[in-house]
Amino acid sequence: MKGKYKAAIALVLVLVLLPLTLLLTLTHWVPTLAGIWLPVGTRISLQESPRLTRSALLIPDLRYLVGDCELARVTDTRLSRPSRWRLHIGQLDINSACLSKLPASEPTPGSPRTLAEWQSMLPYSWLTIDNLRLSPWEKWQGRLVMSLTPAQQDIGFAGKELSLQARLRGQALTVSQFSARLTDDQPPVKLVGTFHLPLVPDGLPVDGQMQGTFEFPQTAEWIDAELEWQHNRGQLLVTPRGEVEPILDLPWEITPERITISDGRWRTRYQNYPLSGRVALSVGNWQQGTEQMTVSGRLNVLTEGHAGKGNAVLNIGPGKLSMDNSDMPLRLTGEAKLGEMIFYAALPAQLSGSLVSPQL
């Protein structure tokens, strides 16, 4: 009998001590276990052990690393389930510089591909991030709130410089409010719109329309912008509020290989002199990043005053605009008419260096 009692006591001790040991050593075995499902070369790290309370799971600190680069850091996480799953995160920091270090991977057989398949996997849940910060764009940090169900996803973002309210139902995306302050001395740009997303979420919306308002810096007047498109082509119209004729009209077309603006028109005034012209632009290999893009275009300016008429044409490229080392040939030609006389000039140039501090 003593042997049976000892075996029973040992079994009870194992049942008690094993979960306790696992709980106390979470920081050691959870990252290793998670590594089975993480992409090769990535890992998670727990600085403190998670705590389990009667109502929630608390994770004080969690880091996601690509090699030695910290891609994301999550602090003060709380997971609970009052009526649906609720994930509350105190702060999420994302380092965009680490994204390029993520290893390329093939899609897993049977993994969801369509937008509907991804949505069907969503649990009924709430997600709140008190402060979402993406470097190096810390200016746009703010509070993110999401309400998720398989049928509908609501998202709200509130920051000092950026705010957003949007809803996704199936493939229909409605942006009811978007506001972004691009410069400190100007009012924010405001946009609303509806979009029809593609069946497979790997490209631009299939069709949609968007309206926006912003203040023109030079004249301090309000400008209305309207963007419409179907499939791979559309038109952008920019019109001063209260006027009918647009100051900018850009028909555009986009394919996997090229973005094209053809027969664009613009107009404005400079010190009571009317200026107008046309614009054309072509951007090849646009999906391969700025280092591989090929840019070419043409912009002309027409003006007329008491002294005569003038026409200037700027030919751009073909060349490369890069964040590190641009290589863009330019050629400016001009023609001015005064009575029977015609003046003509041509000026070649080369744009090089970084786009942040270009050299001409």
Side-chain angles (χ1 to χ4, degrees):
M1 292 294 293
K2 289 184 178 180
K4 293 181 179 180
Y5 285 131
K6 289 181 179 179
I9 293 173
L11 181 59
V12 171
L13 288 175
V14 169
L15 293 176
V16 172
L17 293 177
L18 182 59
L20 183 60
T21 302
L22 291 175
L23 185 62
L24 293 176
T25 58
L26 282 174
T27 56
H28 299 287
W29 62 267
V30 168
T32 303
L33 182 63
I36 299 175
W37 295 280
L38 294 176
V40 177
T42 67
R43 58 190 173 90
I44 65 171
S45 173
L46 296 171
Q47 298 298 311
E48 300 181 40
S49 294
R51 301 192 306 273
L52 186 62
T53 68
R54 294 181 59 184
S55 59
L57 173 65
L58 308 179
I59 304 177
D61 184 276
L62 184 146
R63 296 186 300 155
Y64 182 43
L65 299 101
V66 183
D68 294 328
C69 188
E70 185 176 284
L71 174 60
R73 182 164 191 165
V74 183
T75 56
D76 298 329
T77 301
R78 179 185 179 93
L79 178 63
S80 59
R81 198 175 191 278
S83 59
R84 62 169 72 175
W85 288 108
R86 181 191 295 274
L87 179 61
H88 188 280
I89 297 174
Q91 179 150 325
L92 172 58
D93 293 293
I94 300 176
N95 182 7
S96 63
C98 299
L99 294 174
S100 60
K101 300 182 180 181
L102 284 171
S105 59
E106 296 294 330
T108 305
S111 61
R113 294 186 66 253
T114 67
L115 180 61
E117 289 174 341
W118 282 106
Q119 290 170 322
S120 66
M121 297 177 62
L122 292 174
Y124 286 79
S125 56
W126 295 297
L127 169 64
T128 302
I129 303 176
D130 288 335
N131 191 39
L132 173 61
R133 183 168 58 187
L134 176 64
S135 65
W137 303 285
E138 289 85 355
K139 175 183 178 180
W140 310 109
Q141 63 184 300
R143 188 171 190 263
L144 176 68
V145 178
M146 299 180 69
S147 175
L148 305 175
T149 70
Q152 177 176 301
Q153 300 84 47
D154 293 314
I155 178 173
F157 186 88
K160 184 178 179 181
E161 307 292 344
L162 176 68
S163 62
L164 168 71
Q165 290 291 332
R167 170 172 292 176
L168 179 62
R169 293 180 63 90
Q171 293 175 248
L173 174 64
T174 301
V175 178
S176 56
Q177 189 263 333
F178 175 85
S179 176
R181 187 181 298 275
L182 303 180
T183 58
D184 295 335
D185 57 345
Q186 293 295 325
V189 175
K190 298 181 179 180
L191 301 173
V192 296
T194 58
F195 311 88
H196 185 72
L197 302 184
L199 182 63
V200 178
D202 59 354
L204 297 174
V206 177
D207 55 62
Q209 58 87 25
M210 181 173 62
Q211 297 85 34
T213 60
F214 58 94
E215 191 175 27
F216 206 56
Q218 284 74 18
T219 61
E221 63 179 338
W222 285 99
I223 303 295
D224 295 325
E226 182 177 359
L227 177 65
E228 293 186 354
W229 72 94
Q230 287 187 344
H231 301 291
N232 67 329
R233 61 182 60 191
Q235 187 174 23
L236 171 65
L237 295 174
V238 179
T239 309
R241 185 163 296 177
E243 297 187 17
V244 177
E245 185 179 355
I247 60 174
L248 183 63
D249 181 355
L250 296 180
W252 56 268
E253 182 178 2
I254 184 169
T255 67
E257 297 79 24
R258 187 172 300 276
I259 299 175
T260 305
I261 296 175
S262 58
D263 197 27
R265 301 167 185 262
W266 65 274
R267 67 175 182 89
T268 187
R269 298 188 69 86
Y270 177 73
Q271 296 183 353
N272 295 324
Y273 289 100
L275 301 177
S276 63
R278 298 196 178 190
V279 59
L281 183 67
S282 175
V283 181
N285 302 325
W286 64 275
Q287 296 192 87
Q288 300 180 22
T290 56
E291 298 301 322
Q292 302 298 325
M293 286 194 310
T294 302
V295 181
S296 62
R298 184 177 185 273
L299 172 69
N300 84 301
V301 181
L302 293 172
T303 185
E304 182 176 358
H306 298 295
K309 300 180 180 180
N311 180 26
V313 179
L314 176 63
N315 289 287
I316 305 170
K320 180 180 72 171
L321 293 176
S322 169
M323 296 302 296
D324 299 320
N325 187 22
S326 298
D327 183 15
M328 179 62 65
L330 304 172
R331 182 176 178 84
L332 178 64
T333 58
E335 181 181 284
K337 296 181 179 180
L338 179 59
E340 299 297 327
M341 293 187 297
I342 299 177
F343 299 92
Y344 179 83
L347 178 64
Q350 186 77 21
L351 182 68
S352 60
S354 169
L355 284 179
V356 179
S357 56
Q359 299 176 1
L360 189 61

